Amino acid sequence: MKVSVITLGCKVNQYESQAMLTQLVSAGFTVCDAADESDVVLINSCTVTAMSDHKVRQTLHRARRKNPGAVLVLTGCMPQAFPEAAAGLHDADIVLGNSNRAALLPDILKYLSSRQRVVDIVPHEKAPGFESMKVSSFFERTRAFMKIEDGCNRFCSYCIIPYARGRVRSKPMEELKKEIAEIAANGYREIVLTGINLSAYGQDLGLHLCDAVEAACEPDSVTRVRLGSLEPEQLSEDVIARLSRQEKLCAQFHLSLQSGSDATLRRMNRHYGTEEYRTIVKNLRAAFENAAITTDIMVGFPGETEEEFQESLAFAREIAFAKVHVFAYSRRPGTKANDAPGQIAPAVKEQRSRLMIEATQQIKEAFFQRQIGLTEPVLFERECDRNVYEGYTENYTPVKAHSGKSLSGEIVPARITEALSDCCLAEIKE
């Protein structure tokens, strides 16, 4: 039987989608790129915002319309966080949560034999272990994502994820090293360590994120190790010093900010202030040459005054991020912020989003300008136009370069010659 997957949401979901495909392939399924030609379609959902749930419903309905005979499996964060709502989505033949993905194959076989709808959502245990899953290859990718942590204990006032993912739990070091070795043996040059709260890796095992980074850097064939999104307050001066000793660790750090206003951060129940964030960025830039700092910024959070928004805007300019994902606050039922006073009008949120996007685009272009003249190793991923290849430097600057020979999957030194709005142009020596 042919199986395909539609992944919504974060890099952790991408990893888990690959792990589920790997599980089914080992049972005799064949991976298919086209959902409308597949016998089984997995929809790995996100529920970070109410809009995410809307997208899940749209995706399910579209998949059913285009492939009415397929077995549709809805899994991921949305069923886990909102089991009753997910169970009511009757386009799905199988509804499976995050906490028991080992049931994926048995549930598919059960449905195929009975043609009776399966709803199999199990609550998170109070003290669960890390879900055992393994990926050794990624279809059509030059870098390997590796999930090493799941869950979150933070309970930010806007976030549903602790309910969808449960509490922090970490991949045991023995499993981590084995998976790294298999990924390296399959020729991947770059490994990206990911997690729901990646900074918390190891706190349940007496380990630290640094231990995972050091293990990932160990194989000779691995050229680069990259970190996914980090909570900034975990990055003490000692931690940064330890990380900086790993030459393979890429100098790109995605430090989740959310707001540049201390008052807004307190209402969000974030665990740091702007001064601490500023110090962490300073320490990272001192320890890693030409480091890129990227982030997420939310506008229009309940109670955000014009003054707080301007503080956030000014802080984004001060930090000079390499890239910012800007998004407007979206009410998320089940969170504290959903019922908070001072909800911001949609028109105001739209205006603030536009102003923040404009400002951070200028900041990004300034970062690109600072890369001109540098010669950097670029991991080229694909041919984007005839004889034009695109890839990323170690600090995740997007680069395009012309070449008469294939560069896909190769790491090649490239001299950056020009900065555009969305990438840099470079030349390589043939």
Side-chain angles (χ1 to χ4, degrees):
M1 299 186 76
K2 293 185 288 186
V3 60
S4 62
V5 63
I6 300 171
T7 305
L8 306 173
C10 64
K11 289 182 174 64
V12 171
N13 272 15
Q14 293 176 28
Y15 173 92
E16 291 170 346
S17 290
Q18 189 66 49
M20 287 187 284
L21 285 179
T22 300
Q23 177 188 354
L24 295 180
V25 167
S26 67
F29 287 77
T30 301
V31 174
C32 179
D33 292 333
D36 55 356
E37 298 174 5
S38 299
D39 301 297
V40 177
V41 180
L42 309 179
I43 297 173
N44 194 5
S45 66
C46 174
T47 193
V48 69
T49 66
M51 185 57 67
S52 301
D53 289 354
H54 176 67
K55 191 171 182 179
V56 170
R57 292 190 291 270
Q58 281 187 322
T59 303
L60 261 174
H61 185 65
R62 189 182 305 116
R64 176 58 72 209
R65 186 178 70 249
K66 290 186 175 182
N67 193 349
V71 179
L72 296 190
V73 182
L74 174 62
T75 185
C77 289
M78 193 267 190
Q80 193 67 47
F82 301 101
E84 291 184 6
L89 299 177
H90 289 278
D91 280 327
D93 301 305
I94 300 169
V95 183
L96 183 68
N98 271 333
S99 64
N100 63 328
R101 264 179 295 249
L104 174 63
L105 178 59
D107 283 349
I108 291 174
L109 296 177
K110 180 179 179 181
Y111 177 81
L112 289 173
S113 65
S114 69
R115 291 290 167 176
Q116 296 295 311
R117 193 164 185 261
V118 178
V119 177
D120 189 5
I121 306 170
V122 178
H124 283 296
E125 299 175 16
K126 288 186 177 179
F130 188 83
E131 180 184 16
S132 181
M133 58 171 57
K134 184 176 64 175
V135 172
S136 58
S137 63
F138 292 76
F139 300 111
E140 299 181 358
R141 287 192 180 276
T142 55
R143 62 171 57 89
F145 294 101
M146 182 174 167
K147 173 187 164 186
I148 65 170
E149 185 276 340
D150 205 345
C152 185
N153 301 342
R154 298 171 58 84
F155 291 93
C156 298
S157 62
Y158 53 82
C159 188
I160 198 70
I161 294 305
Y163 304 96
R165 287 284 179 172
R167 303 299 173 264
V168 168
R169 51 214 187 270
S170 307
K171 184 186 286 288
M173 185 55 66
E174 185 177 340
E175 289 183 27
L176 187 149
K177 287 184 175 181
K178 185 177 180 181
E179 186 171 5
I180 288 169
E182 292 183 6
I183 289 172
N186 282 331
Y188 289 92
R189 311 290 296 280
E190 180 175 314
I191 294 176
V192 184
L193 301 180
T194 66
I196 296 301
N197 182 0
L198 182 61
S199 304
Y201 173 82
Q203 69 178 34
D204 54 328
L205 302 178
L207 296 171
H208 193 276
L209 177 61
C210 293
D211 296 305
V213 171
E214 289 161 3
C217 290
E218 194 170 314
D220 291 338
S221 60
V222 174
T223 306
R224 295 178 174 181
V225 174
R226 195 179 297 280
L227 293 172
S229 180
L230 297 167
E231 293 299 327
E233 76 274 11
Q234 305 287 344
L235 293 176
S236 68
E237 201 166 349
D238 289 343
V239 168
I240 292 171
R242 184 176 169 187
L243 291 174
S244 70
R245 290 194 285 270
Q246 297 303 312
E247 294 181 359
K248 295 180 181 180
L249 182 61
C250 292
Q252 180 246 333
F253 300 92
H254 188 90
L255 304 182
S256 183
L257 175 61
Q258 305 303 344
S259 176
S261 164
D262 287 321
T264 306
L265 289 172
R266 286 192 292 271
R267 290 197 304 278
M268 290 178 169
N269 195 34
R270 300 294 284 170
H271 297 255
Y272 54 84
T274 55
E275 184 57 38
E276 182 179 3
Y277 192 100
R278 182 183 290 114
T279 299
I280 292 166
V281 170
K282 178 182 176 182
N283 291 339
L284 283 169
R285 285 176 170 157
F288 292 87
E289 184 179 357
N290 195 28
I293 310 297
T294 61
T295 199
D296 309 295
I297 295 179
M298 183 191 304
V299 300
F301 187 73
E304 183 185 63
T305 64
E306 180 63 27
E307 181 183 3
E308 290 174 6
F309 170 70
Q310 291 298 329
E311 289 172 356
S312 195
L313 197 60
F315 191 74
R317 292 192 176 105
E318 176 194 339
I319 298 299
F321 293 104
K323 184 178 181 181
V324 179
H325 172 225
V326 178
F327 59 104
Y329 168 73
S330 174
R331 296 179 77 161
R332 172 75 280 186
T335 65
K336 186 176 179 180
N338 182 66
D339 303 314
Q343 299 289 332
I344 306 299
V348 175
K349 288 194 283 190
E350 183 178 343
Q351 179 193 36
R352 290 178 182 174
S353 292
R354 178 177 54 79
L355 292 173
M356 185 66 78
I357 289 170
E358 288 174 357
T360 54
Q361 175 65 27
Q362 292 171 2
I363 295 165
K364 180 176 76 171
E365 291 177 15
F367 176 81
F368 286 168
Q369 287 287 338
R370 294 196 294 274
Q371 308 308 300
I372 293 176
L374 299 178
T375 298
E376 299 287 340
V378 178
L379 174 56
F380 287 98
E381 298 190 346
R382 67 183 186 94
E383 186 178 19
C384 60
D385 203 349
R386 183 173 176 82
N387 294 332
V388 177
Y389 294 84
E390 62 181 9
Y392 292 89
T393 65
E394 290 181 356
N395 71 2
Y396 214 61
T397 299
V399 168
K400 291 182 179 179
H402 185 277
S403 176
K405 63 179 183 179
S406 176
L407 299 179
S408 297
E410 299 294 325
I411 296 179
V412 181
R415 182 176 178 273
I416 297 175
T417 58
E418 188 176 347
L420 305 180
S421 62
D422 61 345
C423 71
C424 288
L425 303 183
E427 56 185 23
I428 61 173
K429 292 182 179 180
E430 298 285 353

